Amino acid sequence: MTAKLFTPMRVGTLELSNRIVIAPMCQYSADDGCMTDWHTIHLGHLALSGAALLTIEATAVKPEGRITYRDVGLYSDECEAAMRDVLESVRRWSDMPIAIQLAHAGRKASSDVPWKGGAQIPPSHPDGWQTEAPSAVPFRDDHNAPVALDRDGLARVRDAFADAAARSARLGIDVVQIHAAHGYLLHEFLSPLSNRREDEYGGSLENRMRFPLEVFDAVRSAFAERPVTVRVSGTDWADGGWTIEETVAFAKALEARGCDGVHVSSGGLASGQKVPVGPSYQVPLARAVKAATRMPVAAVGLITEFEQAEAIVGTGDADFVALARTILYDPRWPWHAAAHFGVRVKAPNQYLRSQPMHHRDLFSTPSED
Ligand SMILES: Cc1cc2nc3c(=O)[nH]c(=O)nc-3n(C[C@H](O)[C@H](O)[C@H](O)COP(=O)(O)O)c2cc1C
């Protein structure tokens, strides 16, 4: 019996060869929003992993939308040119489809890189800036408060998402994933804890969803026929916050507007969140979205074992498993999973001689496709 993990599945117009996707992971290694040779190394080696899809890290649609001053952006010709160089190198050696996560960090922008503590940087510092959000409510009481976006500000953010989607299309990127999770700008609109607006963008669920849905529509039309997916937090894990029921309603609204898939993560919005971290801890959230929609759904979060991943897609809790830390730690995880299940996986010609003695039929080469 073939492992479901290694069966193909379509996401919109794109056929993916298996159910393992690489989750977006910020590298904090860009210069002024421009990718560097670190990205060639990082994305290049993940592109040889045998996963079905490689997702480029949270990529800011505006400079103020970067989490840190070292984040990747796609808001200028310079950013686009730098990304083109990286993609050309990666694509020369891998045909793995590539997604990009388009993002705006909202009130969680202007932070330091994690290995320097990740604290908020004040606007007066050369590496900091004034943050913007739905309401002037800071993430933590001791933070500089964001400025509430006015109508012009909303239009600028929406247009920036559309522009970055158009740049992504020009770069030949296969999938755009809109970042509406982890307490960043679009999630801040969704959650009543961060959205205190009194206009048509705040209050009821319909109003809180309005701006994220407008951004979706703008990206959808800028990215033409190609798949557009959305990453959501399934819950804030905090009293009075965004819930799984609201997530399901949001997913249905997205589906009705032509969304091609939902990637279900959680948390990140409330500094006092209580997250029940453990293996597969976010899978029940993915399951709830999957049960209520017909779109492909990805589950993520502490999925580390082959049988665990197979159980998630095999039982239909989700269609895809997304790996982040797991695949950084072991970039050949999909090869090992294929060996475990006795199926074939793609490997580059240069590495064919690494096929283990006990797995004589593990590798398919690019020419066999
Ligand atoms: C180094 C690192 C960078 C991350 N950057 C992003 C990001 O850019 N966008 C995002 O949505 N999630 C980001 N995440 C979260 C992961 O995509 C993933 O949801 C989370 O790590 C749980 O999956 P895991 O248990 O397989 O690591 C990041 C996680 C790590 C470890």
Side-chain angles (χ1 to χ4, degrees), residues 23-26 57-58 101 179 182 231 265 300-302 323-325:
M25 281 179 278
C26 283
E57 65 193 83
Q101 186 184 50
H179 198 350
H182 301 169
R231 195 172 213 206
S265 184
V300 68
L302 284 181
L323 308 179
R325 289 163 295 185

Side-chain angles (χ1 to χ4, degrees), residues 186-223:
L186 299 181
H187 183 184
E188 289 162 18
F189 273 87
L190 295 172
S191 174
L193 295 175
S194 45
N195 183 343
R196 306 273 171 78
R197 295 178 76 98
E198 291 178 355
D199 61 4
E200 72 268 36
Y201 292 101
S204 66
L205 173 61
E206 191 187 356
N207 281 0
R208 282 180 280 123
M209 294 196 310
R210 191 179 308 279
F211 186 63
L213 291 175
E214 285 178 9
V215 167
F216 176 82
D217 289 344
V219 168
R220 173 70 285 167
S221 62
F223 205 57

Side-chain angles (χ1 to χ4, degrees), residues 22-28 42 55-59 67 71 101 103 114-115 177 179-182 184 231 263-266 278 281-282 299-304 322-328:
I22 301 175
M25 281 179 278
C26 283
Q27 298 297 295
Y28 313 104
H42 165 69
T55 310
I56 295 173
E57 65 193 83
T59 298
I67 304 167
D71 281 25
Q101 186 184 50
W115 51 83
Q177 178 184 86
H179 198 350
H182 301 169
Y184 298 117
R231 195 172 213 206
H263 188 132
V264 187
S265 184
S266 75
Y281 70 106
Q282 295 175 147
V300 68
L302 284 181
I303 300 168
T304 56
L323 308 179
R325 289 163 295 185
T326 302
I327 203 156
L328 282 191

Side-chain angles (χ1 to χ4, degrees), residues 278-297:
S280 295
Y281 70 106
Q282 295 175 147
V283 171
L285 303 168
R287 186 190 304 138
V289 173
K290 172 110 185 93
T293 63
R294 293 154 59 94
M295 292 175 286
V297 170

